[in-house]
Amino acid sequence: SAVISQKPSRDICQRGTSLTIQCQVDSQVTMMFWYRQQPGQSLTLIATANQGSEATYESGFVIDKFPISRPNLTFSTLTVSNMSPEDSSIYLCSVGGRADSYGYTFGSGTRLTVV
Amino acid sequence: AQKITQTQPGMFVQEKEAVTLDCTYDTSDPSYGLFWYKQPSSGEMIFLIYQGSYDQQNATEGRYSLNFQKARKSANLVISASQLGDSAMYFCAMREGPESGGFKTIFGAGTRLFVKA
């Protein structure tokens, strides 16, 4: 399965600022996904990062708040913009494809605290 | 629409005993995959086991086995010989196949497992 490197692993940010999270995969993948896990909750899909086109956002998430880049088939970034304490969560990236090849790997996550 | 249900918010098990974590799912796609992940307090998601919808046999990975009952749409995780290090949050997840066009994964609410010494 693919190996995913995600950084930063954690950060403490001031409200009103932005943080960009990076996700690097060791092989080319068709789709990359960004998830949010709020404290004590399950994972919620934010968006699918598509190479060469705009990301596809899930209901409740908008591009202005969570802009995503996907410049090539091994890399993606998620930016959390104009942060508020409600954005304090773990953010994780994952890759998509056949479950027996890339399907079940997550990055190590970014633990974000907004103060 | 696809859905994953975990009805056990918390479970206790004695060390060295076996425990079953329940998971039911709903999908109209004939091709899908079922996953279990472990999330310790560090926050990382650790893949445990995978079951494909067309797999004839239940998946096993060391002390983990997946009790796959397709007709009942259940995919329970069985942990044998529990260890103190098994204390964590466990998530059941499902990914639909190419017919659904996405490969995105949805997650259940999770079950927190406590292993007692």
Side-chain angles (χ1 to χ4, degrees), chain A residues 74-114:
Chain A
T74 63
F75 186 78
S76 178
T77 66
L78 168 75
T79 299
V80 186
S81 303
N82 188 24
M83 289 184 286
S84 67
E86 291 70 36
D87 294 320
S88 297
S89 298
I90 298 174
Y91 293 85
L92 299 110
C93 67
S94 181
V95 298
R98 287 176 53 84
D100 57 357
S101 57
Y102 313 117
Y104 38 73
T105 309
F106 277 80
S108 53
T110 297
R111 190 181 294 269
L112 171 63
T113 302
V114 183

Side-chain angles (χ1 to χ4, degrees), chain A residues 35-53:
Chain A
Y35 290 85
R36 181 178 74 181
Q37 185 180 26
Q38 294 176 299
Q41 303 295 314
S42 186
L43 278 72
T44 301
L45 181 65
I46 297 172
T48 302
N50 307 305
Q51 194 271 333
S53 63

Side-chain angles (χ1 to χ4, degrees), chain B residues 45-117:
Chain B
M45 292 290 285
I46 301 171
F47 164 75
L48 296 178
I49 197 166
Y50 165 77
Q51 179 86 40
S53 59
Y54 296 118
D55 294 342
Q56 295 297 312
Q57 294 190 338
N58 288 344
T60 60
E61 290 286 348
R63 295 187 298 112
Y64 304 106
S65 61
L66 198 152
N67 185 1
F68 181 46
Q69 299 190 37
K70 195 171 183 177
R72 299 177 62 180
K73 294 189 174 179
S74 74
N76 298 339
L77 177 70
V78 180
I79 305 175
S80 63
S82 297
Q83 302 172 357
L84 295 178
D86 293 334
S87 293
M89 196 74 169
Y90 289 80
F91 291 99
C92 180
M94 178 174 67
R95 172 173 293 160
E96 290 180 332
E99 290 80 9
S100 300
F103 292 106
K104 67 184 182 184
T105 305
I106 64 165
F107 289 81
T111 296
R112 184 166 294 281
L113 179 65
F114 300 92
V115 180
K116 300 182 291 184

